[in-house]
Amino acid sequence: MSAEPIRVVVTGAAGQIAYSLLYMVAKGDVFGPNQPLILHLLDIPPMMGVLEGVVMELDDCALPLLVSVVPTADPAVAFKDVDAAFLVGAMPRKQGMERKDLLSANVKIFKVQGEALDKFAKKDVKVLVVGNPANTNALVCSHYAPSIPKENFTAMTRLDQNRAQAQIAGKVGVRISKVKNVIIWGNHSATQVPDARNASVEVDGTVKPVPEAVADDEFLKQQFLETVQKRGAAVIAARKMSSAMSAAKAASDHMRDWFAGTRDGEYVSMGVISDGSYGAPRDIVFSFPVQIQNRQWKIVQGLTVDEFTRSKLDVTAKELLEEKEEAMAVCAAD
């Protein structure tokens, strides 16, 4: 076992997603089976009682890698010397709430967390924003942490990628591990662009491009696209609560790949700061296919984007630019 434990913070630690995520992180799914860790759990003061129960449960799991747990309502304590941050806690959208109201409530949360990361975290901290609107929250957080590289702030679109992969596997009738390189472009919202045109699937020992294996262009343009875009709402309708288990698994996948790297010839989707690749506007957090080595992500270049996908990319980019403008206006007024 490598002797030095790493410090990992999870915000919204008394909430639903964290309840599934903390176990995955503490048992070694994310940072590896030999990496001891110290968990910092941040939540708001009214949740401290619930958080106490979560800490008891982590104790009772008797996890060999978990060195200690620091529950707190103080960002200065939560972000102190952390190597990795899962920013799960955010104001949830309530009925009758406009996206704008949600944005302004969350801008304030992510401003405080950005400032705390800037002051207290390690400068090479890897930050994953899960709380919605994730892309814009990541942008705001980075804005208030100028001493940490912009590349270290990412937003989660891995849940959408996992959903898309599952849809393709189901359609072709293969196991999920046989589907590779499905992409999510753009925003983690209903405008996101799930794209299987560059993906491959192994059928009976032969690897084929997904469009050829599916052999149903209408399915890829409509049903596939809409199922993935609206999957979160479908889960809420069925479960009467938002997707927590699958979101926690996706957060775990995202951070594991960031720390361990991607496999040769494979890429994953992450919301990252845009450099203008594929015609996306610069300086917004946009989901791209990336490959990761030595904890550094790189946008995969040279993939084909057909006209249909291109038109959808423009829509999601426009939404992200509007969100950025609103968020920055709230920041300026604050």
Side-chain angles (χ1 to χ4, degrees):
M1 224 184 244
S2 63
E4 268 309 289
I6 60 170
R7 291 179 181 270
V8 180
V9 62
V10 177
T11 73
Q16 272 226 88
I17 293 174
Y19 193 71
S20 289
L21 177 63
L22 289 168
Y23 177 66
M24 296 177 193
V25 173
K27 84 183 215 311
D29 287 0
V30 180
F31 303 103
N34 303 313
Q35 178 60 64
L37 43 96
I38 296 165
L39 276 178
H40 292 207
L41 309 184
L42 178 69
D43 216 310
I44 54 177
M47 297 305 285
M48 287 301 109
V50 176
L51 197 56
E52 217 169 284
V54 174
V55 176
M56 285 182 212
E57 282 209 77
L58 282 167
D59 283 346
D60 299 348
C61 285
L63 296 155
L65 295 172
L66 188 55
V67 177
S68 64
V69 181
V70 183
T72 182
D74 180 357
V77 175
F79 292 103
K80 182 91 179 106
D81 294 333
V82 293
D83 298 270
F86 292 90
L87 305 187
V88 180
M91 171 92 149
R93 186 165 174 176
K94 302 198 177 85
Q95 245 177 335
M97 218 182 178
E98 290 295 317
R99 205 177 162 93
K100 267 207 275 291
D101 307 329
L102 183 67
L103 203 70
S104 62
N106 278 317
V107 162
K108 296 181 176 109
I109 294 171
F110 285 88
K111 175 185 179 181
V112 168
Q113 295 186 354
E115 290 169 342
L117 280 158
D118 197 53
K119 247 193 235 158
F120 303 109
K122 291 192 176 165
K123 293 304 169 202
D124 62 353
V125 63
K126 303 283 181 269
V127 182
L128 165 60
V129 176
V130 177
N132 284 320
N135 296 54
T136 300
N137 286 345
L139 190 72
V140 167
C141 202
S142 162
H143 180 77
Y144 285 104
S147 69
I148 296 168
K150 283 185 169 26
E151 292 72 44
N152 291 24
F153 290 84
T154 61
M156 185 168 89
T157 51
R158 185 58 170 267
L159 176 52
D160 308 302
Q161 180 197 309
N162 287 351
R163 286 166 169 165
Q165 199 178 341
Q167 291 301 316
I168 296 295
K171 176 74 173 171
V172 181
V174 295
R175 283 170 55 186
I176 203 116
S177 58
K178 303 294 183 195
V179 180
K180 303 270 188 283
N181 298 345
V182 178
I183 302 168
I184 304 295
W185 301 97
N187 199 2
H188 171 65
S189 76
T191 67
Q192 60 168 280
V193 190
D195 173 13
R197 289 168 198 284
N198 292 281
S200 65
V201 57
E202 188 187 319
V203 188
D204 302 328
T206 310
V207 176
K208 300 176 174 176
V210 164
E212 186 189 313
V214 168
D216 182 346
D217 204 44
E218 267 323 287
F219 166 81
L220 289 176
K221 281 183 172 169
Q222 285 223 288
Q223 196 187 329
F224 166 67
L225 202 73
E226 284 171 19
T227 302
V228 178
Q229 286 174 334
K230 296 175 179 169
R231 188 66 161 192
V235 171
I236 291 175
R239 209 173 84 92
K240 310 294 174 259
M241 285 195 270
S242 61
S243 28
M245 180 173 36
S246 54
K249 162 67 167 54
S252 160
D253 290 346
H254 176 118
M255 195 67 89
R256 182 200 62 229
D257 287 344
W258 201 353
F259 271 73
T262 48
R263 294 191 187 98
D264 278 354
E266 287 184 33
Y267 40 81
V268 293
S269 300
M270 285 165 76
V272 297
I273 192 78
S274 169
D275 61 357
S277 291
Y278 296 98
R282 286 172 178 274
D283 298 324
I284 54 175
V285 172
F286 194 93
S287 182
F288 290 102
V290 300
Q291 285 174 321
I292 305 163
Q293 253 186 329
N294 306 323
R295 301 186 187 177
Q296 304 288 323
W297 55 261
K298 218 165 76 225
I299 296 170
V300 177
Q301 298 296 341
L303 298 173
T304 30
V305 174
D306 60 14
E307 259 175 70
F308 174 80
T309 309
R310 172 80 267 156
S311 66
K312 300 277 182 204
L313 251 59
D314 295 340
V315 174
T316 198
K318 182 172 178 283
E319 181 182 62
L320 280 166
L321 285 171
E322 284 165 8
E323 279 186 20
K324 176 183 178 174
E325 204 175 306
E326 277 172 36
M328 290 309 162
V330 174
C331 290
D334 208 23

